[in-house]
């Protein structure tokens, strides 16, 4: 099995050392580089070609949110998991809208951080339970009418089947769960997800979920879990 190539980005050398020790002990993960600031990320990505970047938010020169936005605009960009001690709503939403595939708090158990890297590398978005609850509360409680209108206009570009898949993604279902619920093969689900991403000019499944939330197609009671 090919190892997941991982780039660590955190301004605290002790945190980087701890992550490197923890991640480096996994047989299926290879640490290909480390950075102390978001401004170093793009050059390191060019040099090391990681599959996943584990990105801190608060750094002295270029923060992790800005670095994520810059990175995800690039062609063939690696997936990004934001790792931080903070979980303010605006940080969560900015990271996910920038194209981050996951948002994990630093007090998450080590085994779950490892699992997050593996899942994101496999194409599955990851949010910690605390962050998921905050995201749902934001979507249900503070969605402005104009944002909902814009989201619904974008969703209107999808056909009925693609819309069903988008809603299922928003509910947190994996491909196998969507396939079972909508009576289609996993390969067909993957095709629909790819078409949705292309039609709506989105980076990943998390952004599909955010759009479904903004459009009012998914509510707190619809969340099926990750």
């Amino acid at each position: 099995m090919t190892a997941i190539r991982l780039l660590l980005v955190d301004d605290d050398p002790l945190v980087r050392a701890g992550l490197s020790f923890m991640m480096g002990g996994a047989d299926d993960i290879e640490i290909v580089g480390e950075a102390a600031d978001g401004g170093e990320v793009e050059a390191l990505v060019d040099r090391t070609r990681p599959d996943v970047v584990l990105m801190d938010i608060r750094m002295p020169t270029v923060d992790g949110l800005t670095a994520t936005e810059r990175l995800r605009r690039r062609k063939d960009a690696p997936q990004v998991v934001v790792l931080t001690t903070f979980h303010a709503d605006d940080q969560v939403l900015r990271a996910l809208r920038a194209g981050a595939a996951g948002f994990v708090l630093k007090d998450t158990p080590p085994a779950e951080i490892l699992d997050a890297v593996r899942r994101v590398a496999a194409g599955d978005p990851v949010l910690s339970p605390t962050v998921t609850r905050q995201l749902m509360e934001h979507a249900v409680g503070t969605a402005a009418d104009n944002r909902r209108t814009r989201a619904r206009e974008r969703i209107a570009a999808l056909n009925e089947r693609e819309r069903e898949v988008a809603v299922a993604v928003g509910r947190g279902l994996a491909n196998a769960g969507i396939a079972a619920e909508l009576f289609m093969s996993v390969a067909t689900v993957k095709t629909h997800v790819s078409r949705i991403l292309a039609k709506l000019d989105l980076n990943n499944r998390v952004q599909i979920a955010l759009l479904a939330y903004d459009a009012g197609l998914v509510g707190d009671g619809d969340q099926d879990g990750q």
Side-chain angles (χ1 to χ4, degrees):
M1 179 177 62
T2 302
I4 299 166
R5 298 174 61 81
L6 180 66
L7 174 63
L8 303 177
V9 185
D10 196 297
D11 65 323
D12 188 331
L14 290 178
V15 171
R16 292 200 311 274
L19 289 171
S20 182
F21 177 79
M22 177 179 67
M23 298 290 181
D27 293 337
D28 59 339
I29 294 177
E30 177 187 0
I31 308 297
V32 296
E34 298 182 15
D37 188 80
E40 304 171 21
V41 171
E42 290 189 90
L44 267 175
V45 166
D46 287 338
R47 190 159 68 246
T48 63
R49 300 295 179 184
D51 301 304
V52 178
V53 178
L54 195 57
M55 182 91 74
D56 187 24
I57 282 186
R58 301 193 69 174
M59 291 180 283
T61 306
V62 177
D63 64 52
L65 298 179
T66 299
T68 297
E69 290 169 344
R70 291 176 179 174
L71 193 58
R72 292 301 300 172
R73 286 197 294 263
R74 295 160 53 105
K75 183 179 180 181
D76 299 325
Q79 298 294 340
V80 176
V81 177
V82 173
L83 181 66
T84 183
T85 55
F86 303 92
H87 48 78
D89 288 352
D90 58 339
Q91 292 177 336
V92 175
L93 290 169
R94 184 180 165 193
L96 299 181
R97 293 187 192 285
F103 194 109
V104 180
L105 301 181
K106 285 185 177 178
D107 60 3
T108 301
E112 293 183 21
I113 297 177
L114 282 166
D115 182 61
V117 169
R118 293 177 179 123
R119 288 176 58 186
V120 165
D124 292 328
V126 175
L127 297 176
S128 70
T130 300
V131 170
T132 300
R133 285 194 297 273
Q134 288 185 325
L135 182 59
M136 296 303 298
E137 288 167 3
H138 172 89
V140 174
T142 65
D145 289 342
N146 60 346
R147 188 175 71 238
R148 177 161 293 189
T149 298
R150 290 195 301 269
R152 288 181 174 177
E153 288 173 350
R154 295 184 71 188
I155 290 286
L158 305 179
N159 63 38
E160 182 177 356
R161 203 56 161 166
E162 290 165 347
R163 179 188 170 102
E164 291 175 341
V165 171
V167 170
V169 170
R171 288 168 48 213
L173 293 178
N175 288 340
I178 298 173
E181 183 168 291
L182 299 182
F183 304 102
M184 61 177 71
S185 69
V186 172
T188 301
V189 173
K190 291 180 179 179
T191 297
H192 282 308
V193 170
S194 295
R195 288 175 179 168
I196 293 167
L197 293 172
K199 280 188 176 183
L200 302 182
D201 192 26
L202 301 175
N203 285 314
N204 55 44
R205 296 168 68 99
V206 173
Q207 291 184 327
I208 295 175
L210 283 170
L211 193 62
Y213 297 151
D214 284 348
L217 301 179
V218 180
D220 197 13
D222 297 319
Q223 180 75 7
D224 288 332
Q226 299 296 324

